[in-house]
Amino acid sequence: MNLIEQLAVIVGADNLLTAAGDMAPHLVDWRGRYHGTARCVVRPASAEEVSAVVRACAQAGVAMVPQGGNTSLCGAGIPDESGAAVLISLSRLNRIRAIDSANNTIVIEAGCVLQALQEAAAQAGRLFPLSLAAEGSCQIGGNLSTNAGGVHVMRYGNMRELALGLEVVLPNGEIWNGLRGLRKDNSGYDLKQLFIGAEGTLGIITAAVLKLFPLPQSVATAWMAIDSPPAAVRLLGELQEAFGAGLNACELVSDTALGLVLKHIPGAQAPLAESPWHLLVEISGEGGDSSLHATLEAFLEKALERGVISDAVLAQSSDQARRLWALRENISEAQKIEGISIKHDLSVAISHIGEFIERADAALKQFFPDFRIVAFGHVGDGNLHYNQSKPETMDAAAFIAVQPTINRIVHDIVHELGGSISAEHGLGQLKREEILRYKSPLEMEMMRAIKRALDPQGLMNPGKVL
């Protein structure tokens, strides 16, 4: 049998896609920037089927591209245009295998959608804190493979901190069962960390043991008008002093970013009068809602009196809180509707956020005065999404042609400040070459050595990261 016939036997003919129309949704990324072709799309339903698929591909010397919800912003889940690779969709591995409430853990398969995990945890009286704008479609395997972050990293950490164990199909088809729900395991190398953030280049994650947390008894949400990013950093410090670990999220939004949401997202309404910058915060606590709201309200009143903020609104209901969060979470969707953009997912020390924005804004406006800078992100952990939307007077081809110059300006400033050019989106194929400018040759060789050791044939998601 040829490879296609072998794969059909493994997963069943209905789960092997070869027609162009059937494969099409898997071959373009969410932004519509990367397009690829594939030999076929195969949809295994278990770790054992993934293992058999990988073993067959490895024996045939055929490259494999794992794909989850296909929400990557860096093209990590899209094959190249050669048509030689087999695309492995994990969407059928969507079972919740076990919930251990006493251990505060859940064992879940890679194809489970993040929102479904959040809901399953809530039904068990627990919280799974990872929260992303794409949570209705992104999958756990992709979240792990990109070390996803989101809005609650400052309190709960990103996926590296939330994962206790993994099940992984290695590039030769062997299954490594590391599904241990232990918070202390000092018995050797922490092998799971090799696969978290590796974007499928070292193996395919098929299941994970993830941490759960008690559901907060009360939550308070507020939207504030501020005058600058340095003001946001100062306010963050005051919020941390006032609320400690109760501060779940602290999100910075520029007026330009908010304006796109108000323009393109139906039902979106400005919560306050116009302001150059905005801050969205979420506090949780053990007391009742009224007590927490009163404490946050008192904090806001003092901040207004001292001129730290110019205005504020405190959500009076969960529905109002959801509407405030929608303004933040719909920025990427609104920018996509607005048109083509250049995206930067970067991190700097929180103390450098103001300096970065000031320097990057000035440098870009010197060369490209008509560019619209759409800045927003997680001020609580130093991760900014610093994007540029195409000027209305510029055509798309000309805009994309200047991307290398834009990247160099932005990334050089990030590097000078000791930051990273990829905070939570990964490298994929978007930053595969760009990273060579900022990582030392020693770091790159260490990464290549790990790749050679685990994937000597170079068949696992080639052309990504390295």
Side-chain angles (χ1 to χ4, degrees):
M1 290 189 293
N2 62 32
L3 178 59
I4 298 294
E5 292 169 337
Q6 292 180 57
L7 298 178
V9 170
I10 294 168
V11 302
D14 290 343
N15 293 301
L16 181 73
L17 310 180
T18 56
D22 294 335
M23 293 194 294
H26 297 275
L27 301 177
V28 59
D29 71 314
W30 180 80
R31 295 175 64 193
R33 177 162 185 179
Y34 292 103
H35 299 260
T37 57
R39 185 177 304 224
C40 63
V41 174
V42 61
R43 302 185 298 186
S46 66
E48 291 72 24
E49 287 189 3
V50 175
S51 171
V53 167
V54 170
R55 198 177 299 274
C57 291
Q59 290 173 350
V62 171
M64 294 156 275
V65 177
Q67 187 181 91
N70 198 17
T71 59
S72 169
L73 296 177
C74 295
I78 302 299
D80 62 23
E81 296 181 345
S82 69
V86 169
L87 192 149
I88 303 174
S89 169
L90 282 301
S91 59
R92 294 179 67 219
L93 277 79
N94 56 12
R95 294 180 304 134
I96 295 172
R97 296 186 186 176
I99 296 179
D100 186 339
S101 297
N103 196 45
N104 278 316
T105 53
I106 184 169
V107 183
I108 192 161
E109 293 184 338
C112 185
V113 171
L114 174 55
Q115 185 174 335
L117 166 56
Q118 295 167 339
E119 292 170 354
Q123 289 172 7
R126 295 294 184 268
L127 169 73
F128 183 70
L130 185 71
S131 182
L132 314 170
E135 61 194 28
S137 52
C138 66
Q139 295 175 9
I140 297 305
N143 297 152
L144 287 159
S145 293
T146 56
N147 187 30
V151 298
H152 292 149
V153 167
M154 65 178 299
R155 177 166 183 178
Y156 296 100
N158 52 27
M159 284 300 275
R160 287 196 189 280
E161 285 73 44
L162 296 174
L164 293 174
L166 297 181
E167 176 185 80
V168 181
V169 174
L170 301 176
N172 63 1
E174 290 187 272
I175 301 175
W176 171 55
N177 186 346
L179 293 174
R180 292 181 286 274
L182 303 175
R183 287 164 176 79
K184 288 186 175 180
D185 181 0
N186 212 9
S187 58
Y189 300 136
D190 191 356
L191 296 175
K192 69 177 181 292
Q193 297 295 352
L194 288 174
F195 303 98
I196 299 174
E199 301 182 58
T201 60
L202 301 178
I204 299 177
I205 296 170
T206 52
V209 183
L210 303 175
K211 296 178 184 177
L212 300 179
F213 298 84
L215 280 171
Q217 295 180 11
S218 55
V219 177
T221 305
W223 183 283
M224 295 167 250
I226 57 176
D227 62 7
S228 68
V233 172
R234 289 193 297 272
L235 195 57
L236 168 66
E238 293 180 10
L239 285 161
Q240 290 172 320
E241 290 179 5
F243 297 98
L247 180 60
N248 291 344
C250 188
E251 297 289 300
L252 180 67
V253 178
S254 69
D255 193 55
T256 303
L258 177 61
L260 291 179
V261 175
L262 299 177
K263 178 180 178 181
H264 292 295
I265 303 301
Q269 294 182 337
L272 299 170
E274 188 173 334
S275 173
W277 292 91
H278 311 265
L279 204 64
L280 174 63
V281 300
E282 180 183 277
I283 315 291
S284 65
E286 303 306 317
D289 281 344
S290 59
S291 172
L292 187 65
H293 280 224
T295 304
L296 182 54
E297 185 175 28
F299 176 92
L300 296 174
E301 288 175 352
K302 291 180 181 178
L304 281 165
E305 290 172 2
R306 293 185 294 112
V308 178
I309 61 178
S310 58
D311 202 356
V313 58
L314 177 62
Q316 299 301 311
S317 66
S318 58
D319 183 64
Q320 188 178 10
R322 281 193 293 270
R323 290 199 299 271
L324 292 177
W325 271 109
L327 296 174
R328 162 63 183 88
E329 292 169 345
N330 280 314
I331 295 173
S332 292
E333 180 65 25
Q335 192 172 20
K336 180 182 178 183
I337 296 169
E338 178 73 6
I340 195 167
S341 63
I342 296 171
K343 294 183 179 292
H344 299 97
D345 162 51
L346 58 94
S347 62
V348 295
I350 294 169
S351 54
H352 289 324
I353 286 176
E355 180 183 354
F356 165 77
I357 292 176
E358 181 181 2
R359 288 179 58 183
D361 280 5
L364 288 180
K365 289 175 182 177
Q366 179 181 354
F367 287 94
F368 308 101
D370 295 332
F371 272 23
R372 292 173 291 166
I373 297 172
V374 182
F376 61 99
H378 320 295
V379 68
D381 59 41
N383 175 196
L384 292 175
H385 301 296
Y386 187 77
N387 305 335
Q388 292 75 45
S389 280
K390 182 184 75 65
E392 296 178 358
T393 57
M394 194 177 195
D395 66 52
F399 181 65
I400 290 300
V402 300
Q403 178 165 352
T405 303
I406 300 299
N407 287 345
R408 184 59 49 84
I409 292 171
V410 173
H411 291 161
D412 279 0
I413 296 172
V414 170
H415 186 65
E416 289 168 12
L417 293 174
S420 171
I421 69 168
S422 178
E424 63 180 0
H425 294 166
L427 299 176
Q429 50 188 307
L430 177 65
K431 300 177 183 178
R432 179 189 61 205
E433 305 300 327
E434 186 79 359
I435 196 63
L436 298 175
R437 179 174 172 86
Y438 304 105
K439 278 193 180 293
S440 71
L442 177 59
E443 281 182 288
M444 296 306 303
E445 179 50 35
M446 291 168 67
M447 290 170 62
R448 294 188 186 101
I450 294 170
K451 172 73 169 175
R452 288 193 298 267
L454 291 176
D455 184 21
Q457 291 182 271
L459 299 178
M460 197 59 68
N461 209 10
K464 316 298 166 48
V465 182
L466 295 171

